[in-house]
């Protein structure tokens, strides 16, 4: 069966932190009958935020999946975190989803993390609909948010609704397609909206907005366009089909409005998900998204790992074929065969045993031993490898030491497990101090990881002060010839190689290439050379930070029939790398953050001055309502403790958000101050 015959939607709910996406999801659960009582984020009863830390902190940390039914359609929903520290959760959700609901704060509009997530969705080609939430809040402005969506995100915002009432008086919406009003009389979620005529005071505006809507929609269908030009009436269902076509082609983004907390606007949002977002087979097949055919060979992508204390679960999206309990499948990344012990349909923190999943399904698998985020599972007779999931580079480090020496091995094992679950966490051992270094995207992510060490694994650790995760790179080419020779007792060691290092653009990482011809170095030793280079690159020559953004090219070498080995070439490559890096103009790179500050206008000058003192650059500033908005870039090193300074400057009235922007070369005096 082709999966576009199934009435199924795989969608994500994404937004900036505090825009209300978990509240939107909780209302969806209630209105679809999945929950019989409404969960609230503020009192810790939200079903989607079931982790104890999520309930304690009032934010989403891990993406959570749930399945609901609405008007004959099954909707698989992944609720994602909004905080930048947990952005990897958004990345891996968007990689496997077919559509998304993007939630916007009706007061703040397009916020930095929303923009970041929007660009990620662009990269994965995910069709979207927009929901402007919190229209009952003071300062909410639907039209301004629509304008921001168009200007900041560079898309055509297709307005499907107009709000009825404003701020505390918001009570419903005008449905521009059907030209009717939907009014929720009070906050009782069990009551459906009252359907009526468009309020007289909004009629002229609704007529104008509907005309704009029609002009955009009829471009998607030749018959509709001809009927429109001839002045004929356009059936609402035909308009819905044309909107769906435009959404799939990403020609525009439908915009709806409401207040999830007040239970206003959720049912029309669910209708829009079913009407406009794609089924698994609706999007064109690509190399990384096979045709959604359950009769085809299996192709599935692992996108998340979780551990509940008993067994590890791997969440997978089945793109084609079927996955059954008891199947043996090929992990095409590792080359190993894995066995599916159990299959689950997941509803937040609840699991339902199933026997089979087919093309289009998102399920949890138990029994996979060596499968990690981004690995492909396929039919053993028809191997295929799908595009993996990109993981952001960590920018902040903390040193960890167990309070009890007996916990040293347990700490190492627990950190390895955390890293399996969250690939944006990195663990390494400091070459000089021997301390375990945990790296991540921000202080909050590291706090959560340390708390999980305690609560899940019973390990109390001393945590060092957060430090910036600097990187090193090179500024020019260097080429060295290195001979590794050891003849003192026992078997000898011999390896000779010529290695060239050359700088690459920022963000390129480390690339390795072999140009060995004629068997100067046997091909079985080439992987050892690459391993040695990458190992040496983990501790650079300036201050011991990982070396990135360079090309390492193996040009030539020689070997000894008896004394050469993989170990000898590994050691030779590491020594050659260190020698070449020292000659290649090593430079220190520091992480720079994109910072957005919202402050009352009368504190604007003080805030900008403080950002300049922190070596920041103000890229732009403007206004949002009666507040000033500053867009700046600031080195992460200067942002520690910023919230206290900002509150002091603004009498506690300003707020800020920041996210990693890029690495850039640090000033010479900062590089000189680093310990050698």
């Amino acid at each position: 069966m082709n999966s576009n015959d199934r009435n199924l939607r795989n969608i994500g709910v994404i937004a900036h932190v505090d825009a209300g996406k978990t509240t939107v999801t909780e209302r969806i659960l209630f209105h679809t009958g999945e929950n019989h009582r409404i969960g609230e984020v503020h009192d810790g009863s939200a079903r989607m935020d079931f982790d104890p830390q999520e309930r304690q902190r009032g934010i989403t940390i891990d993406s959570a999946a749930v399945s609901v039914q609405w008007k004959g359609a099954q909707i698989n929903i992944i609720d994602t975190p909004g905080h930048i520290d947990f952005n990897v959760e958004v990345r891996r959700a968007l990689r496997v989803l077919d559509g998304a609901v993007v939630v916007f704060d009706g007061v703040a509009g397009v916020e930095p993390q929303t923009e970041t997530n929007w660009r990620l969705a662009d990269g994965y080609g995910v069709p979207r609909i927009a929901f402007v939430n919190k229209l009952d809040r003071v300062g909410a402005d639907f039209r301004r948010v629509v304008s921001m969506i168009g200007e900041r995100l560079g898309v055509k915002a297709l307005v499907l609704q107009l709000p009825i009432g404003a701020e505390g008086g918001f009570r419903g919406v005008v449905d521009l397609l059907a030209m009717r009003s939907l009014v929720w009389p009070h906050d009782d979620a069990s009551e459906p909206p009252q359907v009526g005529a468009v309020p007289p005071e909004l009629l002229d505006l609704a007529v104008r907005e509907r005309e704009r809507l029609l002009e955009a929609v009829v471009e998607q269908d030749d018959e509709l366009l001809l009927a429109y030009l001839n002045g004929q009436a356009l059936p609402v269902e035909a308009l819905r089909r044309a909107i769906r076509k435009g959404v799939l082609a990403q020609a525009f983004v439908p915009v709806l409005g409401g207040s999830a907390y007040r239970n206003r606007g959720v049912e029309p949002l669910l209708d829009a998900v079913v009407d406009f977002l794609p089924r698994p087979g609706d999007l064109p097949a690509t190399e990384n998204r096979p045709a959604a055919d359950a009769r085809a060979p299996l192709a599935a992508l692992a996108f998340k790992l979780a551990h509940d204390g008993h067994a590890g679960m791997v969440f997978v999206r089945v793109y084609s074929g079927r996955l059954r309990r008891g199947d043996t499948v090929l992990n095409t990344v590792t080359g190993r065969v894995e066995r599916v012990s159990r299959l689950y349909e997941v509803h937040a923190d609840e699991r339902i045993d199933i026997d089979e999943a087919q093309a289009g399904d998102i399920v949890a698998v138990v029994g996979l031993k060596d499968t990690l985020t981004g690995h492909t599972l396929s039919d053993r007779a028809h191997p295929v490898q799908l595009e993996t999931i990109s993981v952001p580079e960590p920018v902040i480090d903390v040193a960890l030491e167990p309070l009890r020496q007996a916990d040293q091995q347990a700490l190492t094992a627990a950190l390895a497990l955390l890293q399996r679950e969250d690939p944006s966490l990195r663990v390494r051992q400091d070459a000089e101090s021997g301390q375990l270094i945990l790296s991540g995207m921000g202080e909050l992510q590291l706090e959560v990881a340390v708390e999980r060490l305690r609560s899940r694994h019973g390990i109390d650790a001393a945590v060092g002060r957060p430090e910036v995760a600097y990187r090193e790179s090179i500024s020019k080419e260097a080429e060295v010839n290195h001979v590794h020779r050891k003849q003192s007792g026992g078997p000898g060691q011999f390896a000779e190689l010529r290695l060239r290092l050359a700088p690459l653009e920022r963000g390129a990482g480390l690339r390795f290439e072999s140009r060995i011809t004629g068997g100067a170095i046997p091909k079985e030793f080439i992987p050892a050379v690459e391993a040695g280079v990458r190992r040496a690159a983990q501790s650079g020559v300036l201050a011991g930070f990982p070396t990135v953004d360079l090309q390492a090219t193996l040009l030539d070498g020689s070997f000894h029939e008896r004394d050469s080995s993989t170990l000898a070439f590994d050691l030779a490559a590491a020594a050659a790398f260190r020698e070449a890096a020292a000659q290649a103009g090593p430079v220190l790179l520091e992480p720079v953050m994109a910072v957005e500050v919202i402050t009352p206008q009368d504190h604007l000058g003080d805030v900008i001055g403080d950002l300049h003192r922190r070596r920041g650059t103000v890229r732009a500033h403007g206004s949002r309502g009666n507040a000033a908005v500053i867009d700046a870039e600031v080195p992460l090193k200067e942002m520690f403790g910023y919230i206290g300074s900002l509150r002091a400057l603004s009498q506690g009235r300003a707020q800020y958000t920041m996210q990693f922007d890029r690495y850039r070369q640090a000033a010479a005096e900062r590089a000189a101050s680093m310990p050698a």
Side-chain angles (χ1 to χ4, degrees):
M1 182 178 71
N2 192 304
S3 283
N4 61 2
D5 296 331
R6 300 172 66 198
N7 203 2
L8 173 67
R9 308 291 185 278
N10 291 315
I11 69 163
V13 183
I14 60 177
H16 187 92
V17 66
D18 287 336
K21 59 183 174 37
T22 298
T23 301
V24 169
T25 309
E26 292 293 327
R27 295 312 189 266
I28 288 174
L29 297 184
F30 181 83
H31 284 280
T32 57
E34 179 69 14
N35 274 5
H36 298 294
R37 63 177 295 273
I38 294 176
E40 301 290 6
V41 175
H42 63 267
D43 64 9
S45 64
R47 182 177 176 191
M48 302 302 284
D49 288 348
F50 53 84
D51 183 276
Q53 286 206 66
E54 293 179 318
R55 294 189 167 179
Q56 176 186 339
R57 298 173 187 270
I59 61 169
T60 301
I61 294 172
D62 296 308
S63 55
V66 71
S67 182
V68 301
Q69 301 287 330
W70 182 254
K71 295 186 176 178
Q74 177 181 333
I75 308 174
N76 295 330
I77 303 170
I78 295 183
D79 177 37
T80 64
H83 199 287
I84 184 61
D85 284 17
F86 309 105
N87 181 253
V88 69
E89 295 286 339
V90 183
R91 289 172 180 260
R92 50 190 180 185
L94 287 173
R95 171 63 182 85
V96 299
L97 293 172
D98 300 314
V101 174
V102 185
V103 180
F104 295 86
D105 186 313
V107 179
V110 179
E111 298 175 274
Q113 188 58 23
T114 313
E115 192 166 351
T116 297
N117 292 340
W118 193 276
R119 302 304 175 207
L120 286 173
D122 284 342
Y124 289 124
V126 177
R128 279 143 279 174
I129 58 179
F131 181 71
V132 182
N133 193 28
K134 301 186 178 182
L135 290 179
D136 60 318
R137 296 288 183 89
V138 175
D141 188 333
F142 180 78
R143 298 301 304 173
R144 181 175 59 81
V145 177
V146 170
S147 178
M148 290 176 74
I149 291 172
E151 292 170 5
R152 290 200 181 186
L153 304 179
V155 297
K156 189 169 189 176
L158 188 74
V159 176
L160 298 187
Q161 298 175 344
L162 295 176
I164 299 174
E167 299 181 341
F170 171 72
R171 62 187 190 278
V173 296
V174 173
D175 175 359
L176 293 176
L177 277 179
M179 284 299 281
R180 60 181 184 173
S181 67
L182 302 173
V183 175
W184 288 264
H186 40 69
D187 296 340
D188 184 356
S190 64
E191 290 290 328
Q194 295 178 353
V195 179
V198 177
E201 67 274 14
L202 290 175
L203 186 57
D204 288 345
L205 177 61
V207 169
R208 291 196 302 272
E209 289 296 330
R210 189 174 196 272
E211 192 63 23
R212 290 181 185 174
L213 169 65
L214 295 180
E215 288 174 0
V217 172
V218 295
E219 292 179 359
Q220 302 299 316
D221 185 286
D222 290 341
E223 290 185 11
L224 274 181
L225 177 59
L226 184 61
Y228 174 73
L229 294 175
N230 290 332
Q232 299 174 13
L234 305 179
V236 171
E237 284 308 310
L239 291 173
R240 293 191 199 280
R241 289 193 295 271
I243 293 173
R244 178 182 179 82
K245 185 177 179 181
V247 170
L248 299 192
Q250 297 184 55
F252 43 64
V253 175
V255 183
L256 301 92
S259 168
Y261 182 68
R262 299 294 181 194
N263 302 303
R264 296 169 186 170
V266 180
E267 301 99 317
L269 176 61
L270 279 163
D271 290 341
V273 167
V274 174
D275 289 341
F276 306 136
L277 290 181
R279 293 171 291 186
D282 285 340
L283 299 176
T286 67
E287 183 179 347
N288 292 308
R289 185 177 54 228
D293 188 349
R295 296 165 298 188
L298 173 69
L301 185 72
F303 68 94
K304 179 179 172 67
L305 277 70
H307 199 277
D308 64 359
H310 303 288
M313 294 190 301
V314 179
F315 288 81
V316 302
R317 161 70 189 265
V318 182
Y319 281 95
S320 66
R322 297 177 185 272
L323 186 65
R324 299 176 178 87
R325 183 169 55 184
D327 279 354
T328 54
V329 297
L330 176 66
N331 182 324
T332 54
V333 175
T334 65
R336 297 179 180 177
V337 173
E338 299 261 39
R339 185 176 185 277
V340 177
S341 299
R342 306 189 79 168
L343 281 176
Y344 293 113
E345 185 179 281
V346 178
H347 294 253
D349 56 342
E350 298 176 4
R351 297 177 300 186
I352 300 174
D353 265 299
I354 58 174
D355 294 324
E356 177 186 274
Q358 62 172 293
D361 287 336
I362 293 176
V363 294
V365 183
V366 173
L368 306 180
K369 306 297 185 185
D370 299 303
T371 298
L372 300 176
T373 295
H375 286 187
T376 301
L377 303 175
S378 73
D379 183 90
R380 297 168 67 182
H382 302 87
V384 63
Q385 190 162 325
L386 306 176
E387 179 188 11
T388 188
I389 297 170
S390 63
V391 178
E393 283 295 313
V395 296
I396 190 168
D397 298 339
V398 292
L400 297 177
E401 287 187 1
L403 296 182
R404 298 180 297 272
Q405 191 61 36
D407 284 341
Q408 183 66 51
Q409 284 189 324
L411 174 61
T412 302
L415 287 173
L417 188 60
L418 288 179
Q419 191 175 6
R420 282 174 60 87
E421 292 183 352
D422 183 353
S424 67
L425 289 172
R426 307 287 170 85
V427 181
R428 62 183 172 87
Q429 189 168 36
D430 186 87
E432 294 183 5
S433 68
Q435 287 179 310
L436 287 172
I437 306 297
L438 179 63
S439 305
M441 296 302 298
E443 292 180 81
L444 179 58
Q445 183 193 25
L446 297 181
E447 285 177 17
V448 169
V450 170
E451 174 57 27
R452 284 179 172 171
L453 288 175
R454 187 195 63 77
S455 61
R456 289 188 185 178
H457 304 282
I459 300 171
D460 288 313
V463 183
R465 186 169 61 89
E467 299 286 350
V468 173
Y470 290 98
R471 295 288 182 265
E472 297 181 23
S473 191
I474 60 175
S475 58
K476 60 183 180 181
E477 285 193 14
E479 189 174 305
V480 299
N481 195 82
H482 185 83
V483 179
H484 173 76
R485 183 182 286 113
K486 179 185 176 185
Q487 300 293 344
S488 56
Q493 290 185 12
F494 177 84
E496 180 182 11
L497 55 87
R498 177 170 290 277
L499 186 72
R500 182 173 68 209
L501 302 184
L504 294 176
E505 68 277 6
R506 292 287 165 258
L510 191 157
R511 300 174 188 166
F512 176 82
E513 178 187 4
S514 172
R515 293 187 181 176
I516 295 298
T517 58
I521 298 176
K523 62 181 181 181
E524 61 263 29
F525 294 145
I526 303 300
V529 174
E530 180 176 0
V533 165
R534 294 190 179 277
R535 178 169 55 82
Q538 286 303 304
S539 52
V541 297
L542 270 182
F545 295 105
T547 308
V548 297
D549 302 341
L550 77 160
Q551 170 88 34
T553 306
L554 176 61
L555 300 172
D556 199 1
S558 64
F559 71 103
H560 189 278
E561 287 286 354
R562 186 178 64 256
D563 293 343
S564 290
S565 63
T566 56
L567 175 62
F569 274 99
D570 182 300
L571 294 172
F577 179 89
R578 287 190 285 268
E579 185 181 342
Q583 299 174 21
V587 294
L588 186 72
L589 305 179
E590 65 177 348
V592 177
M593 311 303 286
V595 180
E596 183 182 84
V597 184
I598 303 174
T599 179
Q601 292 282 356
D602 49 351
H603 299 293
L604 177 61
D606 291 337
V607 172
I608 289 178
D610 182 61
L611 289 172
H612 285 155
R613 285 189 291 274
R614 296 173 183 271
R615 297 190 290 129
T617 301
V618 175
R619 299 187 289 204
H621 64 84
S623 60
R624 186 176 299 167
N626 59 0
V629 181
I630 305 165
D631 175 20
E633 56 180 44
V634 189
L636 174 60
K637 177 73 173 178
E638 310 298 335
M639 292 301 293
F640 289 137
Y642 180 61
I643 186 61
S645 299
L646 182 63
R647 286 171 177 164
L649 287 171
S650 64
Q651 298 176 342
R653 298 168 63 197
Q655 56 181 305
Y656 82 101
T657 57
M658 72 175 182
Q659 57 189 349
F660 173 70
D661 187 60
R662 70 190 189 283
Y663 273 95
R664 75 177 181 197
Q665 186 173 334
E669 59 269 18
R670 182 158 298 276
S673 69
M674 287 290 167

